[in-house]
Amino acid sequence: MKIVRLRTNHFENPLGHNISDLSLSWVVEETEAKKQESAQVIISKNNSFDRESLIYDSGDCIEADSLSFRPGIELESCTCYYWKVKVTGDNGETAESEVASFETGKLKEPWEAIWITPDLDKDVHPYMRKTFEVDGNIKSARVYATAAGIYEMEINGEKISEEYLLPGYSVYDCWMQYQTFDVTKYLKEGKNAIGAMLGKGWFSGRFGLGGLENTYGDRMALLCELVITKEDGSKVVIGTDESWKSYGGPVSKSGIYDGEHYNANNEIADWSKETCVDDSWESAKQVQLKLGDMEERLSPPIIKHESFKPKKIITSKGEIVLDFGQNMAGWVEFNVNIPRDERVLVQYGELLQKGCFYRDNLRSAKAEYEYISNGKPAHARPHFTYYGFRYVKVDGIEDINPEDFTAYAIHSHMDELGEIKTSDERVNRLILNAKWGEKGNFVDIPTDCPQRDERMGWTGDTQVFAGTASFFTDTTAFYNKYMKELREEQKLIDGSVPVIIPRVRNQREVGTGHGSSAWGDVATILPWTMYLYFGDKSMLEKHYDAMKDWVDYITREDEADGGKRLWQTGDHIADWLALDNPDKSDIFNGGTDQYYIATAYYYYSVKLTGDAAEALGKKEDAKYYRKIQNEIKEAFCNEYITPNGKISVDTQTAHILALFMDLLPKEHRTRVAEALKTKLIDKGTHLDTGFVGTPYICRVLSSVGANDFAYKLLINDDFPSWLYSVNMGATTIWERWNSVNQDGSVSSTGMNSMNHYAYGSVVEWIARDICGLNPVFHGAGFKKALIKPQPFAYLKNASIRYNSASGTYVSSWELTEDEKINYHFEIPFNCEAEIILPDTNLSDILVEGDKPLNMEEKDGNMILRVESGKFEVSYKPTKDYYPCLNIKSSLKDVLESEEGIGILRKYIGAELDKFKEIPELLDLSFNKPLTANPIFGPLSLLNQEQIDALAIELGKCRVKV
């Protein structure tokens, strides 16, 4: 038995994080035990755990929750605690973990430091420093720091942290987070120096839809306390005050959108060392800022992760372009040695056009880095910005050596959890593209895109991708910080939720800037997703008020409109970028009625809030929200569903939402599912959904027995489809289905990101329904799982390995040459799962490995109830998993099959060649069912008897997979 992944409030050994509601978690692996008999958690102020230093001992606790153990102790400020856990299994096996730690920040301690700003022009990016003496031996030292803007801090010439873009992006006028660093190793007895470089960042740099500066203030400022504890127990505090010095630094301009200009002639090599002569430096001055309360950090660290070396390209225009092979967020660093005052200009872009550098889709964002040399060899990098890019164009270096350049992917650090693989490398690339979409857009807040003049926390993008992100990484701490931002914004607008969080102050917004369905519903979907995947009830409890306030806001809007239990007021972004708007000149808004979508989400958010109330034991709340939920469903059906079960809003998305959100009477689900399938067939089995319909379409199809349709949507590689972008060479998810046209040209420049993860939400379906791994309400955090793989022969195999909060799950399947299915499942310690295997019976199934607790045949499926262990299952399914053509197949699909071409030619002869040769006929029929056009279509010359015979033959023709 081994105990791993010890976390405190979802951080590994956090230093100065907000742990006001202390929550400890761990994972047990490598054991023969099935269940946890008990666990003992011990907390001490000393890593030796001697009796005098112990402050908590749970004893052998039978109820100890490995997902969120809450000791309920009061913590002291600026104190390091050590903890470990001992677990006993149901077979008597025991193990003791290694020692983990957490250290509190200042908590309620008052700051001795004051906010200071350089006594320079407000646009000058300063060096700020202070020298000081330390007499006596140093035991430990901590820096507590933050900035209005972005800061990088050094002590005695060394950067004190691997983090960048500190203190991150927050609703600064509501709360301000500070960071804590252990700087003991950087100090010495005698003379020392501490210093910081400041940039504008999100605080005062150009940002927002209006592209204005000074969102939260008009100057850069620093707050810092260096607290030194000496061996004799005495403390020395070096705080920011007016004795600090300031001087213009080498950064002359910086901005999140526009990049950074760096003049090495203004460098002071020893600016953060005690040797620096600062007699000519200006003083610092105290500054009053409009900031919220100072709080310990919630943000995971923003650090360098992957690195890439480029391939050099000389374009037809003579440009020197470096291709790093992967679209990412981060920056490029390079070694440079050019004469004094010569300039290197690095411009960032996502793609090439006609083989040449391109950046028009960045709109007004300059996205550049300028370096002016001081004549000395140097290593150049940005400090106060980041970029979204795959390519850079370099000017100013004559003979570029690609080895001198390195791109770094920079994003918030989270534990990686899930690995999903299939037999189709295009699908694997799609999954990887979604993962890179997360990396590029998880830079302190979940953004829409990392490259253009936007990079903001759009709430709709966030909520649709939350499930996928949580299969990739442990998102708990990251989303917890975002929920803090949401809650602070929500308090300002009476429970409503902005469409962008943080809400950029004093600038142009979309509509009223808040209260849009699907976007505002992040307030319920995000906390529930966090709970479902990671099982930390303390987090759900923390964000429950945000859930309530959002649905109560909608209810008030409803009541003001007559209490109809419909949401038919306000402006809603709705099914953004869907392709079904009857007005083809409108390339932004989908065709689904905004109030239909609003009412569907009204119901869904009320349902999730009721679920949360139930999970938290809030019985009266649960009863109230269940009542509202039922009233909305009844009103929705009366408004939008005919008595015979037809949906009045005739779009794919309308049908998807009704099915996914369970808004239909049971007797109407089959009709609506068939109607959705018909709508897909009419599009040649292609989707036309946007941000609202796309995340749920495949999940809905798999849930209503239309797995073949779901797989076909995944495998399609023509526009519109997921694999279209993969075939076009994308390495991230595009904002639009056709961000790049078939000829390689960019489809538009007004709003066209190549790194926009919303449509990557399909990976949640791949994990849940292809691979089969699902979290469940009663057993959140994967203490229990529903494993329900749904194979289909468009793929030969699929697997997920997921290091859940409770341990590692594996679910995989393989379709063999003799058309059997082999499954492999692994269930972690102290967990249970219900495995539902499709299309088999008790007499045909072979189970090897550990023994299931129970096996049951039901509705043509086998249900296995299992606990911790490994299981191998094989059988020949009773249903044919190979896709076949049919009379409603598109002409495109028939023409992709040699056998299908032969069958069709048998019935229509040379007429088939006309469709190949006449573009107008091909356009009319190519992506439509064969039966779609009775006048000009491929079956127009056939009688019904011939059509029926053709249908029989096509039904026997397997699609090539």
Side-chain angles (χ1 to χ4, degrees):
M1 180 182 282
K2 187 177 181 181
I3 304 173
V4 297
R5 289 167 57 190
L6 274 70
R7 297 293 184 267
T8 304
N9 290 63
H10 305 277
F11 289 101
E12 183 176 9
N13 300 328
L15 177 61
H17 289 61
N18 187 327
I19 49 176
S20 53
D21 185 2
L22 183 62
S23 174
L24 307 176
S25 60
W26 60 89
V27 171
V28 175
E29 59 184 26
E30 298 180 21
T31 177
E32 296 298 317
K34 301 294 185 183
K35 296 287 185 180
Q36 177 178 288
E37 188 71 24
S38 65
Q40 179 184 15
V41 175
I42 304 172
I43 304 175
S44 170
K45 287 187 177 181
N46 190 303
N47 61 7
S48 66
F49 291 86
D50 55 72
R51 183 174 299 178
E52 291 75 20
S53 65
L54 288 182
I55 63 165
Y56 180 84
D57 186 343
S58 70
D60 289 331
C61 180
I62 296 174
E63 303 297 325
D65 181 4
S66 65
L67 296 173
S68 176
F69 184 86
R70 299 164 76 180
I73 59 176
E74 188 171 340
L75 301 175
E76 299 175 18
S77 62
C78 305
T79 302
C80 186
Y81 296 88
Y82 301 88
W83 70 281
K84 59 184 179 180
V85 59
K86 181 179 179 181
V87 172
T88 300
D90 57 1
N91 63 351
E93 196 175 350
T94 64
E96 186 174 293
S97 72
E98 294 185 352
V99 176
S101 67
F102 58 89
E103 185 172 320
T104 54
K106 291 174 66 67
L107 303 182
K108 299 301 182 182
E109 274 193 15
W111 286 76
E112 294 185 30
I114 60 174
W115 279 100
I116 58 170
T117 191
D119 196 5
L120 304 166
D121 183 278
K122 65 183 179 65
D123 292 321
V124 172
H125 291 57
Y127 286 132
M128 303 192 76
R129 61 177 263 119
K130 167 82 174 179
T131 57
F132 58 93
E133 295 271 354
V134 178
D135 58 343
N137 294 327
I138 299 169
K139 180 180 180 182
S140 65
R142 300 290 185 266
V143 158
Y144 306 95
T146 189
I150 295 173
Y151 74 96
E152 285 193 4
M153 185 160 285
E154 295 186 7
I155 292 178
N156 293 330
E158 294 189 67
K159 189 173 181 290
I160 67 168
S161 167
E162 65 176 356
E163 298 185 47
Y164 297 94
L165 304 177
L166 292 166
Y169 184 24
S170 296
V171 187
Y172 301 119
D173 55 0
C174 293
W175 79 294
M176 192 81 182
Q177 62 175 352
Y178 68 91
Q179 289 75 40
T180 303
F181 301 105
D182 181 351
V183 295
T184 310
K185 67 180 181 180
Y186 302 108
L187 293 169
K188 60 187 179 182
E189 189 174 357
K191 193 173 182 181
N192 293 264
I194 182 171
M197 294 174 64
L198 300 184
K200 291 187 173 183
W202 298 273
F203 187 87
S204 61
R206 190 172 81 85
F207 196 71
L209 294 178
L212 304 178
E213 293 189 341
N214 304 327
T215 301
Y216 293 96
D218 65 353
R219 61 187 57 246
M220 295 164 271
L222 177 69
L223 180 70
C224 172
E225 280 184 2
L226 167 60
V227 180
I228 302 167
T229 302
K230 295 195 284 189
E231 290 288 357
D232 62 8
S234 63
K235 292 184 184 294
V236 176
V237 179
I238 310 297
T240 45
D241 59 23
E242 292 176 335
S243 68
W244 281 55
K245 299 289 190 74
S246 60
Y247 199 83
V251 177
S252 56
K253 294 180 183 178
S254 76
I256 298 298
Y257 295 158
D258 295 329
E260 184 172 304
H261 289 195
Y262 188 98
N263 189 337
N265 291 305
N266 296 329
E267 286 180 344
I268 300 174
D270 61 349
W271 71 274
S272 64
K273 296 181 179 180
E274 80 282 1
T275 56
C276 178
V277 178
D278 57 14
D279 296 345
S280 63
W281 287 39
E282 300 294 333
S283 61
K285 59 184 180 181
Q286 185 172 5
V287 62
Q288 299 296 322
L289 302 169
K290 295 180 180 178
L291 301 174
D293 292 338
M294 194 69 61
E295 297 185 30
E296 291 73 33
R297 70 181 299 169
L298 290 174
S299 292
I302 304 169
I303 61 174
K304 293 178 182 176
H305 289 84
E306 301 85 354
S307 63
F308 299 85
K309 285 293 183 181
K311 179 178 71 174
K312 184 167 75 171
I313 300 170
I314 307 296
T315 74
S316 60
K317 295 180 180 180
E319 304 161 316
I320 300 175
V321 175
L322 300 179
D323 176 8
F324 291 95
Q326 173 63 55
N327 202 351
M328 72 190 92
W331 60 52
V332 172
E333 302 186 12
F334 57 96
N335 298 319
V336 59
N337 186 6
I338 56 177
R340 183 184 179 92
D341 292 331
E342 289 199 3
R343 183 186 80 148
V344 177
L345 182 65
V346 179
Q347 295 176 293
Y348 291 75
E350 291 189 288
L351 71 168
L352 303 179
Q353 288 289 276
K354 296 181 179 179
C356 296
F357 188 69
Y358 176 86
R359 48 192 277 112
D360 290 356
N361 68 317
L362 306 191
R363 300 190 304 212
S364 72
K366 293 179 181 178
E368 64 187 25
Y369 177 75
E370 180 189 70
Y371 177 84
I372 298 174
S373 173
N374 60 5
K376 300 175 182 178
H379 182 80
R381 71 163 175 90
H383 298 74
F384 306 124
T385 188
Y386 73 100
Y387 311 86
F389 69 101
R390 171 176 170 172
Y391 301 91
V392 297
K393 180 163 78 80
V394 183
D395 291 301
I397 302 176
E398 288 187 8
D399 187 17
I400 285 182
N401 179 3
E403 286 301 309
D404 288 338
F405 290 77
T406 304
Y408 290 97
I410 296 173
H411 45 89
S412 295
H413 182 72
M414 289 167 280
D415 290 340
E416 296 207 4
L417 302 180
E419 182 180 18
I420 305 169
K421 292 183 178 179
T422 76
S423 58
D424 192 322
E425 287 305 317
R426 300 171 305 162
V427 175
N428 295 341
R429 181 69 241 190
L430 172 68
I431 295 166
L432 189 59
N433 287 0
K435 190 170 188 176
W436 272 103
E438 177 186 338
K439 290 174 185 286
N441 283 290
F442 276 30
V443 181
D444 203 51
I445 62 165
T447 59
D448 58 330
C449 60
Q451 76 296 93
R452 68 181 180 222
D453 55 356
E454 204 161 338
R455 314 188 201 187
M456 296 186 293
W458 285 91
T459 49
D461 306 54
T462 300
Q463 66 92 354
V464 300
F465 193 73
T468 293
S470 298
F471 270 120
F472 284 146
T473 54
D474 185 346
T475 57
T476 319
F478 182 81
Y479 282 149
N480 176 53
K481 190 262 184 180
Y482 189 66
M483 284 300 300
K484 166 69 172 177
E485 311 292 355
L486 182 151
R487 186 60 178 154
E488 294 298 336
E489 296 283 21
Q490 193 180 33
K491 292 175 184 176
L492 303 176
I493 46 179
D494 201 22
S496 184
V497 174
V499 297
I500 295 169
I501 296 173
R503 190 180 185 187
V504 184
R505 305 294 189 251
N506 306 318
Q507 294 201 32
R508 177 173 65 87
E509 295 188 288
V510 175
T512 61
H514 67 91
S516 172
S517 63
W519 274 248
D521 295 287
V522 70
T524 57
I525 293 170
L526 204 56
W528 186 250
T529 301
M530 290 164 62
Y531 175 66
L532 204 58
Y533 279 76
F534 303 106
D536 187 343
K537 198 168 285 188
S538 68
M539 285 286 187
L540 185 63
E541 192 169 356
K542 180 177 181 179
H543 302 306
Y544 179 67
D545 285 345
M547 301 177 77
K548 281 185 60 177
D549 284 0
W550 169 242
V551 297
D552 291 351
Y553 164 81
I554 304 172
T555 304
R556 289 197 303 276
E557 293 289 298
D558 171 21
E559 293 293 345
D561 190 41
K564 298 177 290 187
R565 290 299 176 255
L566 301 167
W567 192 3
Q568 296 182 323
T569 59
D571 293 320
H572 303 269
I573 299 172
D575 199 18
W576 186 243
L577 297 183
L579 303 173
D580 59 354
N581 193 321
D583 178 4
K584 296 308 176 186
S585 66
D586 186 346
I587 61 173
F588 299 112
N589 298 296
T592 307
D593 178 77
Q594 64 172 330
Y595 296 130
Y596 179 99
I597 291 174
T599 301
Y601 270 98
Y602 181 13
Y603 173 85
Y604 192 50
S605 274
V606 169
K607 175 189 179 298
L608 294 183
T609 306
D611 289 347
E614 187 177 325
L616 295 171
K618 299 177 182 292
K619 295 182 180 179
E620 289 302 312
D621 279 7
K623 182 178 179 182
Y624 168 74
Y625 289 117
R626 296 301 183 217
K627 176 177 177 293
I628 299 294
Q629 179 185 337
N630 291 332
E631 291 170 357
I632 299 168
K633 186 171 185 175
E634 182 180 358
F636 178 90
C637 290
N638 289 337
E639 183 78 1
Y640 297 111
I641 314 295
T642 70
N644 290 328
K646 182 179 180 180
I647 294 180
S648 62
V649 180
D650 196 25
T651 65
Q652 291 181 14
T653 290
H655 289 71
I656 292 162
L657 292 183
L659 289 163
F660 181 79
M661 294 178 178
D662 194 25
L663 281 158
L664 300 166
K666 288 183 180 179
E667 62 269 22
H668 293 334
R669 284 186 64 85
T670 299
R671 176 173 181 176
V672 172
E674 290 301 314
L676 174 59
K677 289 159 65 176
T678 298
K679 296 193 74 58
L680 289 167
I681 289 169
D682 289 344
K683 295 283 185 180
T685 319
H686 284 73
L687 44 67
D688 59 15
T689 50
F691 275 36
V692 167
T694 300
Y696 307 130
I697 185 169
C698 288
R699 290 183 64 188
V700 162
L701 290 167
S702 290
S703 74
V704 298
N707 214 36
D708 50 343
F709 281 76
Y711 271 80
K712 183 65 168 66
L713 293 180
L714 176 67
I715 294 300
N716 284 339
D717 61 4
D718 57 338
F719 167 78
S721 70
W722 285 284
L723 295 188
Y724 171 74
S725 65
V726 172
N727 283 356
M728 293 297 292
T731 61
T732 42
I733 302 295
W734 291 346
E735 183 173 16
R736 298 173 177 274
W737 292 116
N738 63 335
S739 284
V740 178
N741 296 319
Q742 187 68 49
D743 63 3
S745 62
V746 171
S747 61
S748 70
T749 58
M751 196 190 72
N752 203 350
S753 161
M754 305 300 149
N755 192 352
H756 223 91
Y757 57 52
Y759 290 151
S761 53
V762 67
V763 175
E764 184 177 3
W765 167 71
I766 295 173
R768 283 176 174 264
D769 292 288
I770 291 183
C771 300
L773 183 60
N774 291 269
V776 295
F777 181 171
H778 299 291
F782 286 91
K783 281 298 179 187
K784 295 183 179 179
L786 171 64
I787 301 179
K788 189 181 180 182
Q790 299 195 54
F792 201 70
Y794 280 117
L795 297 176
K796 296 298 184 185
N797 58 66
S799 67
I800 183 170
R801 184 178 188 88
Y802 182 60
N803 297 320
S804 81
S806 296
T808 301
Y809 281 87
V810 174
S811 176
S812 68
W813 57 264
E814 180 181 19
L815 184 60
T816 65
E817 291 296 324
D818 58 357
E819 299 186 17
K820 287 185 177 181
I821 293 278
N822 294 331
Y823 295 95
H824 174 75
F825 306 109
E826 295 181 20
I827 314 301
F829 170 77
N830 206 34
C831 296
E832 296 178 2
E834 183 178 79
I835 302 174
I836 301 179
L837 301 175
D839 309 311
T840 189
N841 52 60
L842 191 58
S843 60
D844 292 342
I845 192 169
L846 175 64
V847 180
E848 297 181 311
D850 288 291
K851 185 177 180 181
L853 297 173
N854 186 57
M855 295 173 60
E856 175 188 1
E857 185 178 334
K858 186 176 181 181
D859 299 329
N861 301 324
M862 282 300 302
I863 302 175
L864 282 62
R865 191 167 69 83
V866 300
E867 58 184 0
S868 175
K870 296 181 180 180
F871 307 87
E872 306 282 345
V873 184
S874 63
Y875 60 87
K876 186 167 185 177
T878 56
K879 181 186 291 185
D880 186 358
Y881 287 165
Y882 283 83
C884 292
L885 296 174
N886 60 70
I887 200 65
K888 292 185 178 180
S889 292
S890 68
L891 179 60
K892 171 184 179 291
D893 287 342
V894 175
L895 294 179
E896 288 178 349
S897 164
E898 289 298 324
E899 185 180 354
I901 292 172
I903 293 170
L904 191 56
R905 189 178 295 280
K906 173 182 173 182
Y907 284 85
I908 68 173
E911 290 294 315
L912 179 58
D913 296 323
K914 291 183 180 180
F915 287 93
K916 293 182 177 181
E917 296 167 1
I918 303 174
E920 292 80 8
L921 281 178
L922 194 62
D923 288 345
L924 281 172
S925 304
F926 191 62
N927 250 329
K928 297 286 181 66
L930 295 174
T931 55
N933 193 333
I935 298 176
F936 297 108
L939 308 188
S940 58
L941 298 179
L942 302 183
N943 59 38
Q944 191 58 51
E945 184 178 344
Q946 291 171 314
I947 292 173
D948 292 343
L950 173 61
I952 292 172
E953 288 202 50
L954 286 175
K956 297 176 183 178
C957 177
R958 281 186 173 180
V959 175
K960 185 179 179 180
V961 294

